[in-house]
Amino acid sequence: MKQKFQINGISCAGCVARVKKTLEEHPAIEKAEIFLAPKGATLITMKEALSVDELQKQLNTIEGYTIEEIEK
């Protein structure tokens, strides 16, 4: 299942790499695609549905990023 999100705090390729690595460390996340244009647009492929709160907890292991779901 794929879901679209917005990650705030993304400003460079280094941010993309760090956030991607952190998200993909979660056992329910198969793949995270994060884009610089539009900045912070994210497509996450999951094995099971995760809430925004669960994704934010995963991101909290690195500072400076917040995630929100993009309305369908």
Side-chain angles (χ1 to χ4, degrees):
M1 113 187 17
K2 291 185 179 185
Q3 285 185 268
K4 293 179 182 178
F5 297 92
Q6 174 66 38
I7 296 181
N8 302 306
I10 300 283
S11 60
C12 65
C15 297
V16 169
R18 184 170 38 243
V19 170
K20 176 179 172 60
K21 179 180 182 290
T22 300
L23 287 173
E24 289 179 348
E25 287 172 352
H26 192 290
I29 295 176
E30 294 177 348
K31 183 177 180 183
E33 298 173 83
I34 303 160
F35 304 94
L36 285 173
K39 190 180 286 187
T42 304
L43 185 61
I44 300 176
T45 305
M46 303 176 211
K47 297 174 188 167
E48 61 189 61
L50 295 174
S51 69
V52 171
D53 287 341
E54 289 172 292
L55 294 168
Q56 185 63 57
K57 282 181 195 169
Q58 185 70 17
L59 276 180
N60 285 344
T61 62
I62 52 177
E63 291 187 19
Y65 304 99
T66 58
I67 189 167
E68 56 192 72
E69 191 165 9
I70 295 175
E71 295 300 320
K72 295 176 181 156

Short mmCIF file of all heavy atoms in Angstrom, two decimals:
data_model
loop_
_atom_site.label_atom_id
_atom_site.label_comp_id
_atom_site.label_asym_id
_atom_site.label_seq_id
_atom_site.Cartn_x
_atom_site.Cartn_y
_atom_site.Cartn_z
N MET A 1 0.85 -1.18 0.00
CA MET A 1 0.00 0.00 0.00
C MET A 1 0.89 1.24 0.00
O MET A 1 1.89 1.28 0.69
CB MET A 1 -0.92 -0.07 1.21
CG MET A 1 -0.71 0.95 2.27
SD MET A 1 -1.65 0.77 3.78
CE MET A 1 -2.24 -0.87 3.81
N LYS A 2 0.51 2.21 -0.82
CA LYS A 2 1.27 3.45 -0.91
C LYS A 2 0.44 4.59 -0.37
O LYS A 2 -0.76 4.65 -0.61
CB LYS A 2 1.66 3.75 -2.36
CG LYS A 2 2.68 2.79 -2.92
CD LYS A 2 3.10 3.21 -4.30
CE LYS A 2 4.16 2.25 -4.83
NZ LYS A 2 4.67 2.68 -6.12
N GLN A 3 1.10 5.47 0.38
CA GLN A 3 0.42 6.66 0.90
C GLN A 3 1.30 7.87 0.65
O GLN A 3 2.54 7.77 0.68
CB GLN A 3 0.18 6.52 2.40
CG GLN A 3 -0.97 5.58 2.74
CD GLN A 3 -1.23 5.59 4.24
OE1 GLN A 3 -0.68 4.79 4.95
NE2 GLN A 3 -2.06 6.51 4.67
N LYS A 4 0.65 9.02 0.43
CA LYS A 4 1.37 10.27 0.19
C LYS A 4 1.42 11.09 1.48
O LYS A 4 0.43 11.18 2.20
CB LYS A 4 0.68 11.09 -0.89
CG LYS A 4 0.73 10.45 -2.25
CD LYS A 4 0.02 11.31 -3.27
CE LYS A 4 0.03 10.66 -4.63
NZ LYS A 4 -0.70 11.46 -5.62
N PHE A 5 2.58 11.69 1.71
CA PHE A 5 2.79 12.51 2.89
C PHE A 5 3.58 13.75 2.51
O PHE A 5 4.19 13.81 1.45
CB PHE A 5 3.58 11.74 3.97
CG PHE A 5 2.86 10.53 4.48
CD1 PHE A 5 3.05 9.30 3.90
CD2 PHE A 5 1.97 10.63 5.55
CE1 PHE A 5 2.38 8.18 4.36
CE2 PHE A 5 1.29 9.52 6.01
CZ PHE A 5 1.50 8.29 5.41
N GLN A 6 3.58 14.70 3.41
CA GLN A 6 4.42 15.89 3.31
C GLN A 6 5.35 15.86 4.51
O GLN A 6 4.88 15.77 5.65
CB GLN A 6 3.57 17.16 3.33
CG GLN A 6 4.37 18.44 3.37
CD GLN A 6 5.18 18.67 2.11
OE1 GLN A 6 4.72 18.38 1.02
NE2 GLN A 6 6.38 19.19 2.26
N ILE A 7 6.65 15.91 4.26
CA ILE A 7 7.61 15.99 5.37
C ILE A 7 8.19 17.39 5.37
O ILE A 7 8.76 17.85 4.37
CB ILE A 7 8.72 14.94 5.23
CG1 ILE A 7 8.10 13.54 5.33
CG2 ILE A 7 9.78 15.14 6.33
CD1 ILE A 7 9.08 12.40 5.24
N ASN A 8 8.00 18.08 6.47
CA ASN A 8 8.51 19.44 6.64
C ASN A 8 9.90 19.39 7.25
O ASN A 8 10.17 18.56 8.11
CB ASN A 8 7.55 20.25 7.52
CG ASN A 8 6.16 20.29 6.93
OD1 ASN A 8 5.97 20.66 5.78
ND2 ASN A 8 5.18 19.86 7.69
N GLY A 9 10.78 20.27 6.79
CA GLY A 9 12.14 20.32 7.28
C GLY A 9 13.15 19.82 6.26
O GLY A 9 14.35 19.91 6.47
N ILE A 10 12.66 19.31 5.13
CA ILE A 10 13.54 18.83 4.06
C ILE A 10 14.08 20.04 3.31
O ILE A 10 13.30 20.86 2.81
CB ILE A 10 12.76 17.92 3.07
CG1 ILE A 10 12.18 16.70 3.78
CG2 ILE A 10 13.62 17.55 1.87
CD1 ILE A 10 13.15 15.61 4.07
N SER A 11 15.41 20.15 3.21
CA SER A 11 15.95 21.30 2.49
C SER A 11 17.08 20.93 1.52
O SER A 11 17.49 21.76 0.73
CB SER A 11 16.46 22.35 3.48
OG SER A 11 17.46 21.79 4.29
N CYS A 12 17.57 19.69 1.59
CA CYS A 12 18.69 19.31 0.72
C CYS A 12 18.72 17.79 0.52
O CYS A 12 17.98 17.05 1.18
CB CYS A 12 20.01 19.78 1.32
SG CYS A 12 20.41 18.96 2.88
N ALA A 13 19.61 17.35 -0.34
CA ALA A 13 19.74 15.91 -0.61
C ALA A 13 20.17 15.15 0.64
O ALA A 13 19.79 13.99 0.84
CB ALA A 13 20.72 15.68 -1.75
N GLY A 14 20.94 15.78 1.50
CA GLY A 14 21.36 15.14 2.76
C GLY A 14 20.15 14.86 3.65
O GLY A 14 20.08 13.79 4.28
N CYS A 15 19.22 15.81 3.70
CA CYS A 15 17.98 15.62 4.47
C CYS A 15 17.19 14.44 3.91
O CYS A 15 16.70 13.60 4.66
CB CYS A 15 17.09 16.85 4.41
SG CYS A 15 17.76 18.35 5.13
N VAL A 16 17.08 14.40 2.59
CA VAL A 16 16.34 13.32 1.93
C VAL A 16 16.94 11.98 2.31
O VAL A 16 16.23 11.06 2.71
CB VAL A 16 16.34 13.52 0.39
CG1 VAL A 16 15.82 12.27 -0.30
CG2 VAL A 16 15.52 14.73 0.01
N ALA A 17 18.25 11.86 2.23
CA ALA A 17 18.92 10.60 2.54
C ALA A 17 18.72 10.20 4.00
O ALA A 17 18.44 9.03 4.30
CB ALA A 17 20.41 10.71 2.21
N ARG A 18 18.84 11.15 4.91
CA ARG A 18 18.70 10.86 6.34
C ARG A 18 17.27 10.43 6.68
O ARG A 18 17.06 9.46 7.40
CB ARG A 18 19.11 12.11 7.15
CG ARG A 18 19.10 11.90 8.63
CD ARG A 18 19.73 13.06 9.41
NE ARG A 18 19.45 14.37 8.85
CZ ARG A 18 20.39 15.20 8.36
NH1 ARG A 18 21.64 14.86 8.35
NH2 ARG A 18 20.05 16.37 7.90
N VAL A 19 16.29 11.15 6.15
CA VAL A 19 14.89 10.83 6.42
C VAL A 19 14.51 9.49 5.79
O VAL A 19 13.84 8.66 6.40
CB VAL A 19 13.96 11.97 5.95
CG1 VAL A 19 12.50 11.56 5.99
CG2 VAL A 19 14.20 13.22 6.80
N LYS A 20 14.95 9.26 4.56
CA LYS A 20 14.68 8.00 3.87
C LYS A 20 15.22 6.82 4.69
O LYS A 20 14.52 5.85 4.93
CB LYS A 20 15.31 8.03 2.47
CG LYS A 20 15.18 6.72 1.70
CD LYS A 20 15.82 6.85 0.33
CE LYS A 20 15.91 5.56 -0.43
NZ LYS A 20 14.65 4.93 -0.71
N LYS A 21 16.47 6.92 5.11
CA LYS A 21 17.10 5.85 5.89
C LYS A 21 16.33 5.60 7.19
O LYS A 21 16.04 4.46 7.55
CB LYS A 21 18.55 6.23 6.20
CG LYS A 21 19.30 5.20 7.03
CD LYS A 21 20.73 5.66 7.27
CE LYS A 21 21.55 4.66 8.03
NZ LYS A 21 21.17 4.50 9.41
N THR A 22 15.95 6.67 7.87
CA THR A 22 15.23 6.55 9.14
C THR A 22 13.87 5.90 8.94
O THR A 22 13.50 4.99 9.69
CB THR A 22 15.08 7.94 9.80
OG1 THR A 22 16.38 8.48 10.03
CG2 THR A 22 14.33 7.84 11.11
N LEU A 23 13.12 6.33 7.95
CA LEU A 23 11.80 5.75 7.70
C LEU A 23 11.92 4.27 7.31
O LEU A 23 11.15 3.44 7.79
CB LEU A 23 11.05 6.53 6.62
CG LEU A 23 10.53 7.90 7.03
CD1 LEU A 23 9.97 8.63 5.82
CD2 LEU A 23 9.48 7.79 8.12
N GLU A 24 12.89 3.95 6.46
CA GLU A 24 13.02 2.58 5.99
C GLU A 24 13.53 1.62 7.06
O GLU A 24 13.48 0.41 6.88
CB GLU A 24 13.88 2.53 4.73
CG GLU A 24 13.15 3.14 3.53
CD GLU A 24 13.94 3.16 2.25
OE1 GLU A 24 15.16 2.92 2.27
OE2 GLU A 24 13.32 3.44 1.19
N GLU A 25 13.98 2.15 8.20
CA GLU A 25 14.37 1.29 9.32
C GLU A 25 13.15 0.70 10.03
O GLU A 25 13.26 -0.26 10.77
CB GLU A 25 15.24 2.07 10.31
CG GLU A 25 16.64 2.31 9.78
CD GLU A 25 17.47 3.23 10.65
OE1 GLU A 25 16.93 3.83 11.61
OE2 GLU A 25 18.67 3.38 10.36
N HIS A 26 11.97 1.29 9.80
CA HIS A 26 10.73 0.78 10.41
C HIS A 26 10.36 -0.53 9.72
O HIS A 26 10.35 -0.59 8.48
CB HIS A 26 9.60 1.80 10.27
CG HIS A 26 8.41 1.49 11.11
ND1 HIS A 26 7.57 0.43 10.82
CD2 HIS A 26 7.92 2.08 12.23
CE1 HIS A 26 6.62 0.39 11.73
NE2 HIS A 26 6.81 1.38 12.59
N PRO A 27 10.06 -1.58 10.48
CA PRO A 27 9.79 -2.89 9.86
C PRO A 27 8.57 -2.93 8.94
O PRO A 27 8.51 -3.78 8.06
CB PRO A 27 9.59 -3.82 11.06
CG PRO A 27 9.38 -2.93 12.24
CD PRO A 27 10.02 -1.62 11.93
N ALA A 28 7.63 -2.01 9.10
CA ALA A 28 6.43 -2.02 8.25
C ALA A 28 6.60 -1.19 6.98
O ALA A 28 5.72 -1.16 6.14
CB ALA A 28 5.23 -1.52 9.05
N ILE A 29 7.73 -0.50 6.84
CA ILE A 29 7.96 0.35 5.67
C ILE A 29 8.88 -0.36 4.68
O ILE A 29 10.00 -0.73 5.03
CB ILE A 29 8.53 1.73 6.07
CG1 ILE A 29 7.49 2.48 6.91
CG2 ILE A 29 8.92 2.54 4.83
CD1 ILE A 29 7.96 3.80 7.45
N GLU A 30 8.36 -0.56 3.47
CA GLU A 30 9.15 -1.21 2.43
C GLU A 30 10.04 -0.22 1.70
O GLU A 30 11.17 -0.51 1.37
CB GLU A 30 8.23 -1.91 1.42
CG GLU A 30 7.45 -3.06 2.01
CD GLU A 30 6.48 -3.68 1.03
OE1 GLU A 30 6.23 -3.11 -0.06
OE2 GLU A 30 5.97 -4.77 1.34
N LYS A 31 9.48 0.98 1.42
CA LYS A 31 10.22 1.96 0.62
C LYS A 31 9.70 3.36 0.92
O LYS A 31 8.50 3.56 1.05
CB LYS A 31 10.02 1.63 -0.86
CG LYS A 31 10.77 2.52 -1.81
CD LYS A 31 10.54 2.03 -3.24
CE LYS A 31 11.26 2.89 -4.24
NZ LYS A 31 10.99 2.48 -5.61
N ALA A 32 10.62 4.30 1.02
CA ALA A 32 10.25 5.71 1.18
C ALA A 32 10.88 6.50 0.04
O ALA A 32 12.08 6.43 -0.18
CB ALA A 32 10.73 6.25 2.52
N GLU A 33 10.04 7.21 -0.71
CA GLU A 33 10.51 8.07 -1.79
C GLU A 33 10.25 9.51 -1.38
O GLU A 33 9.10 9.89 -1.17
CB GLU A 33 9.78 7.75 -3.09
CG GLU A 33 10.00 6.32 -3.58
CD GLU A 33 9.12 6.00 -4.76
OE1 GLU A 33 9.49 6.34 -5.90
OE2 GLU A 33 8.04 5.42 -4.53
N ILE A 34 11.31 10.29 -1.27
CA ILE A 34 11.19 11.67 -0.80
C ILE A 34 11.74 12.58 -1.90
O ILE A 34 12.80 12.32 -2.46
CB ILE A 34 11.97 11.86 0.52
CG1 ILE A 34 11.45 10.87 1.55
CG2 ILE A 34 11.84 13.29 1.01
CD1 ILE A 34 12.37 10.62 2.70
N PHE A 35 11.01 13.64 -2.18
CA PHE A 35 11.36 14.51 -3.31
C PHE A 35 11.71 15.92 -2.85
O PHE A 35 11.17 16.42 -1.86
CB PHE A 35 10.18 14.57 -4.29
CG PHE A 35 9.75 13.20 -4.76
CD1 PHE A 35 8.73 12.52 -4.11
CD2 PHE A 35 10.40 12.58 -5.81
CE1 PHE A 35 8.35 11.25 -4.52
CE2 PHE A 35 10.03 11.30 -6.23
CZ PHE A 35 9.00 10.64 -5.58
N LEU A 36 12.62 16.54 -3.59
CA LEU A 36 12.96 17.94 -3.33
C LEU A 36 12.06 18.89 -4.10
O LEU A 36 11.96 20.06 -3.77
CB LEU A 36 14.43 18.21 -3.68
CG LEU A 36 15.44 17.67 -2.68
CD1 LEU A 36 16.85 17.83 -3.21
CD2 LEU A 36 15.30 18.36 -1.33
N ALA A 37 11.38 18.37 -5.13
CA ALA A 37 10.45 19.19 -5.90
C ALA A 37 9.18 18.39 -6.15
O ALA A 37 9.24 17.41 -6.88
CB ALA A 37 11.08 19.63 -7.21
N PRO A 38 8.05 18.72 -5.57
CA PRO A 38 7.91 19.76 -4.53
C PRO A 38 8.57 19.32 -3.24
O PRO A 38 8.58 18.15 -2.90
CB PRO A 38 6.40 19.91 -4.36
CG PRO A 38 5.83 18.61 -4.83
CD PRO A 38 6.78 18.06 -5.86
N LYS A 39 9.17 20.28 -2.58
CA LYS A 39 9.99 20.03 -1.39
C LYS A 39 9.24 19.23 -0.33
O LYS A 39 8.19 19.64 0.14
CB LYS A 39 10.46 21.36 -0.81
CG LYS A 39 11.53 21.20 0.28
CD LYS A 39 11.96 22.53 0.81
CE LYS A 39 12.84 23.23 -0.19
NZ LYS A 39 13.42 24.46 0.35
N GLY A 40 9.82 18.08 0.02
CA GLY A 40 9.27 17.27 1.11
C GLY A 40 8.15 16.34 0.72
O GLY A 40 7.65 15.59 1.57
N ALA A 41 7.73 16.34 -0.54
CA ALA A 41 6.68 15.40 -0.97
C ALA A 41 7.23 13.99 -0.81
O ALA A 41 8.37 13.71 -1.17
CB ALA A 41 6.29 15.67 -2.42
N THR A 42 6.42 13.11 -0.24
CA THR A 42 6.89 11.77 0.11
C THR A 42 5.85 10.72 -0.26
O THR A 42 4.67 10.92 -0.04
CB THR A 42 7.18 11.71 1.64
OG1 THR A 42 8.11 12.74 1.97
CG2 THR A 42 7.74 10.36 2.05
N LEU A 43 6.34 9.62 -0.79
CA LEU A 43 5.50 8.48 -1.10
C LEU A 43 6.09 7.30 -0.34
O LEU A 43 7.24 6.94 -0.54
CB LEU A 43 5.50 8.21 -2.61
CG LEU A 43 4.60 7.11 -3.11
CD1 LEU A 43 3.13 7.44 -2.80
CD2 LEU A 43 4.77 6.94 -4.61
N ILE A 44 5.29 6.72 0.58
CA ILE A 44 5.77 5.63 1.41
C ILE A 44 5.00 4.36 1.06
O ILE A 44 3.77 4.35 1.05
CB ILE A 44 5.60 5.95 2.91
CG1 ILE A 44 6.40 7.21 3.27
CG2 ILE A 44 6.05 4.76 3.77
CD1 ILE A 44 6.24 7.67 4.71
N THR A 45 5.75 3.30 0.76
CA THR A 45 5.17 1.98 0.51
C THR A 45 5.27 1.19 1.79
O THR A 45 6.37 1.01 2.34
CB THR A 45 5.92 1.26 -0.63
OG1 THR A 45 5.91 2.11 -1.79
CG2 THR A 45 5.26 -0.07 -0.96
N MET A 46 4.11 0.74 2.30
CA MET A 46 4.05 0.05 3.59
C MET A 46 3.48 -1.35 3.46
O MET A 46 2.66 -1.61 2.59
CB MET A 46 3.15 0.82 4.56
CG MET A 46 3.53 2.23 4.80
SD MET A 46 2.32 3.03 5.86
CE MET A 46 2.42 4.69 5.24
N LYS A 47 3.92 -2.23 4.35
CA LYS A 47 3.36 -3.58 4.43
C LYS A 47 2.02 -3.54 5.14
O LYS A 47 1.16 -4.37 4.90
CB LYS A 47 4.32 -4.50 5.18
CG LYS A 47 5.64 -4.68 4.49
CD LYS A 47 6.59 -5.48 5.34
CE LYS A 47 7.97 -5.48 4.71
NZ LYS A 47 8.99 -5.96 5.60
N GLU A 48 1.88 -2.60 6.06
CA GLU A 48 0.63 -2.41 6.80
C GLU A 48 0.45 -0.92 7.05
O GLU A 48 1.42 -0.18 7.05
CB GLU A 48 0.67 -3.16 8.14
CG GLU A 48 1.78 -2.68 9.04
CD GLU A 48 1.99 -3.54 10.27
OE1 GLU A 48 2.29 -4.74 10.12
OE2 GLU A 48 1.84 -3.00 11.38
N ALA A 49 -0.78 -0.50 7.21
CA ALA A 49 -1.06 0.93 7.39
C ALA A 49 -0.46 1.43 8.70
O ALA A 49 -0.62 0.81 9.75
CB ALA A 49 -2.56 1.17 7.38
N LEU A 50 0.24 2.54 8.61
CA LEU A 50 0.80 3.20 9.79
C LEU A 50 0.16 4.57 9.91
O LEU A 50 -0.06 5.25 8.91
CB LEU A 50 2.31 3.37 9.65
CG LEU A 50 3.15 2.09 9.60
CD1 LEU A 50 4.61 2.43 9.30
CD2 LEU A 50 3.05 1.33 10.90
N SER A 51 -0.11 4.98 11.13
CA SER A 51 -0.69 6.30 11.35
C SER A 51 0.40 7.36 11.23
O SER A 51 1.60 7.06 11.33
CB SER A 51 -1.33 6.38 12.74
OG SER A 51 -0.32 6.35 13.74
N VAL A 52 -0.02 8.59 11.05
CA VAL A 52 0.92 9.71 11.01
C VAL A 52 1.69 9.78 12.32
O VAL A 52 2.89 10.05 12.34
CB VAL A 52 0.19 11.03 10.70
CG1 VAL A 52 1.12 12.22 10.85
CG2 VAL A 52 -0.39 11.00 9.30
N ASP A 53 1.02 9.49 13.45
CA ASP A 53 1.69 9.50 14.75
C ASP A 53 2.81 8.46 14.80
O ASP A 53 3.89 8.74 15.33
CB ASP A 53 0.70 9.23 15.89
CG ASP A 53 -0.21 10.42 16.15
OD1 ASP A 53 0.14 11.55 15.73
OD2 ASP A 53 -1.26 10.22 16.78
N GLU A 54 2.56 7.27 14.26
CA GLU A 54 3.60 6.23 14.25
C GLU A 54 4.77 6.66 13.37
O GLU A 54 5.93 6.44 13.74
CB GLU A 54 3.02 4.91 13.74
CG GLU A 54 2.07 4.25 14.73
CD GLU A 54 1.38 3.04 14.13
OE1 GLU A 54 0.56 3.22 13.20
OE2 GLU A 54 1.67 1.93 14.60
N LEU A 55 4.47 7.26 12.23
CA LEU A 55 5.54 7.74 11.35
C LEU A 55 6.32 8.87 12.01
O LEU A 55 7.55 8.93 11.90
CB LEU A 55 4.95 8.20 10.02
CG LEU A 55 4.33 7.09 9.17
CD1 LEU A 55 3.53 7.69 8.02
CD2 LEU A 55 5.38 6.13 8.66
N GLN A 56 5.62 9.75 12.72
CA GLN A 56 6.31 10.85 13.40
C GLN A 56 7.22 10.31 14.49
O GLN A 56 8.33 10.81 14.67
CB GLN A 56 5.29 11.84 13.99
CG GLN A 56 5.94 13.07 14.62
CD GLN A 56 6.71 13.91 13.61
OE1 GLN A 56 6.17 14.37 12.63
NE2 GLN A 56 8.00 14.11 13.86
N LYS A 57 6.78 9.28 15.23
CA LYS A 57 7.64 8.67 16.25
C LYS A 57 8.93 8.15 15.63
O LYS A 57 10.01 8.31 16.19
CB LYS A 57 6.92 7.52 16.96
CG LYS A 57 5.92 7.96 17.98
CD LYS A 57 5.27 6.76 18.64
CE LYS A 57 4.02 7.18 19.39
NZ LYS A 57 3.22 6.05 19.83
N GLN A 58 8.83 7.54 14.44
CA GLN A 58 10.01 7.05 13.74
C GLN A 58 10.91 8.22 13.36
O GLN A 58 12.12 8.15 13.52
CB GLN A 58 9.59 6.25 12.51
CG GLN A 58 10.72 5.59 11.77
CD GLN A 58 11.36 4.43 12.51
OE1 GLN A 58 10.79 3.89 13.45
NE2 GLN A 58 12.54 4.05 12.10
N LEU A 59 10.32 9.31 12.89
CA LEU A 59 11.10 10.49 12.50
C LEU A 59 11.71 11.21 13.70
O LEU A 59 12.72 11.90 13.56
CB LEU A 59 10.23 11.48 11.73
CG LEU A 59 10.07 11.24 10.24
CD1 LEU A 59 9.19 12.31 9.63
CD2 LEU A 59 11.40 11.18 9.53
N ASN A 60 11.10 11.05 14.87
CA ASN A 60 11.61 11.74 16.06
C ASN A 60 12.99 11.24 16.47
O ASN A 60 13.64 11.87 17.30
CB ASN A 60 10.62 11.60 17.22
CG ASN A 60 9.41 12.49 17.06
OD1 ASN A 60 9.40 13.42 16.25
ND2 ASN A 60 8.36 12.21 17.81
N THR A 61 13.45 10.12 15.89
CA THR A 61 14.80 9.64 16.21
C THR A 61 15.85 10.57 15.61
O THR A 61 17.00 10.55 16.00
CB THR A 61 15.02 8.19 15.72
OG1 THR A 61 14.87 8.14 14.30
CG2 THR A 61 14.02 7.24 16.37
N ILE A 62 15.44 11.38 14.63
CA ILE A 62 16.29 12.46 14.11
C ILE A 62 15.48 13.75 14.30
O ILE A 62 14.27 13.73 14.21
CB ILE A 62 16.66 12.24 12.63
CG1 ILE A 62 15.43 11.98 11.76
CG2 ILE A 62 17.67 11.12 12.50
CD1 ILE A 62 15.71 11.83 10.27
N GLU A 63 16.14 14.83 14.59
CA GLU A 63 15.41 16.05 14.92
C GLU A 63 15.17 16.93 13.70
O GLU A 63 15.93 16.90 12.75
CB GLU A 63 16.20 16.84 15.97
CG GLU A 63 16.21 16.14 17.32
CD GLU A 63 16.84 16.99 18.39
OE1 GLU A 63 16.95 18.21 18.23
OE2 GLU A 63 17.22 16.41 19.42
N GLY A 64 14.09 17.70 13.78
CA GLY A 64 13.85 18.74 12.79
C GLY A 64 12.87 18.43 11.68
O GLY A 64 12.74 19.20 10.76
N TYR A 65 12.18 17.27 11.77
CA TYR A 65 11.26 16.90 10.70
C TYR A 65 9.89 16.58 11.27
O TYR A 65 9.76 15.95 12.31
CB TYR A 65 11.79 15.68 9.94
CG TYR A 65 13.16 15.89 9.38
CD1 TYR A 65 14.27 15.41 10.06
CD2 TYR A 65 13.35 16.63 8.21
CE1 TYR A 65 15.55 15.64 9.57
CE2 TYR A 65 14.62 16.85 7.72
CZ TYR A 65 15.73 16.36 8.40
OH TYR A 65 16.98 16.58 7.91
N THR A 66 8.86 17.04 10.54
CA THR A 66 7.49 16.68 10.89
C THR A 66 6.82 16.11 9.64
O THR A 66 7.19 16.46 8.52
CB THR A 66 6.69 17.90 11.40
OG1 THR A 66 6.69 18.92 10.40
CG2 THR A 66 7.26 18.43 12.71
N ILE A 67 5.85 15.24 9.86
CA ILE A 67 5.18 14.58 8.73
C ILE A 67 3.69 14.79 8.85
O ILE A 67 3.14 14.83 9.96
CB ILE A 67 5.54 13.07 8.69
CG1 ILE A 67 5.02 12.44 7.41
CG2 ILE A 67 5.06 12.35 9.93
CD1 ILE A 67 5.59 11.06 7.12
N GLU A 68 3.04 14.97 7.73
CA GLU A 68 1.58 15.08 7.69
C GLU A 68 1.08 14.37 6.44
O GLU A 68 1.77 14.32 5.43
CB GLU A 68 1.13 16.54 7.74
CG GLU A 68 1.71 17.40 6.65
CD GLU A 68 1.49 18.87 6.88
OE1 GLU A 68 2.13 19.44 7.78
OE2 GLU A 68 0.69 19.45 6.12
N GLU A 69 -0.12 13.82 6.55
CA GLU A 69 -0.70 13.11 5.41
C GLU A 69 -1.25 14.13 4.43
O GLU A 69 -1.80 15.15 4.80
CB GLU A 69 -1.82 12.18 5.88
CG GLU A 69 -2.28 11.24 4.80
CD GLU A 69 -3.11 10.08 5.31
OE1 GLU A 69 -3.48 10.08 6.50
OE2 GLU A 69 -3.41 9.20 4.51
N ILE A 70 -1.07 13.84 3.15
CA ILE A 70 -1.64 14.68 2.10
C ILE A 70 -3.05 14.16 1.85
O ILE A 70 -3.25 12.96 1.69
CB ILE A 70 -0.80 14.62 0.82
CG1 ILE A 70 0.57 15.23 1.09
CG2 ILE A 70 -1.50 15.34 -0.33
CD1 ILE A 70 1.54 15.12 -0.07
N GLU A 71 -4.00 15.08 1.82
CA GLU A 71 -5.39 14.68 1.60
C GLU A 71 -5.53 13.96 0.27
O GLU A 71 -4.94 14.36 -0.74
CB GLU A 71 -6.31 15.91 1.62
CG GLU A 71 -6.37 16.59 2.96
CD GLU A 71 -6.88 15.73 4.07
OE1 GLU A 71 -7.84 14.95 3.84
OE2 GLU A 71 -6.34 15.79 5.18
N LYS A 72 -6.33 12.91 0.26
CA LYS A 72 -6.48 12.11 -0.95
C LYS A 72 -7.42 12.77 -1.93
O LYS A 72 -8.24 13.54 -1.62
CB LYS A 72 -7.01 10.73 -0.56
CG LYS A 72 -5.99 10.01 0.26
CD LYS A 72 -6.53 8.68 0.75
CE LYS A 72 -5.45 8.04 1.59
NZ LYS A 72 -5.90 7.11 2.54
#
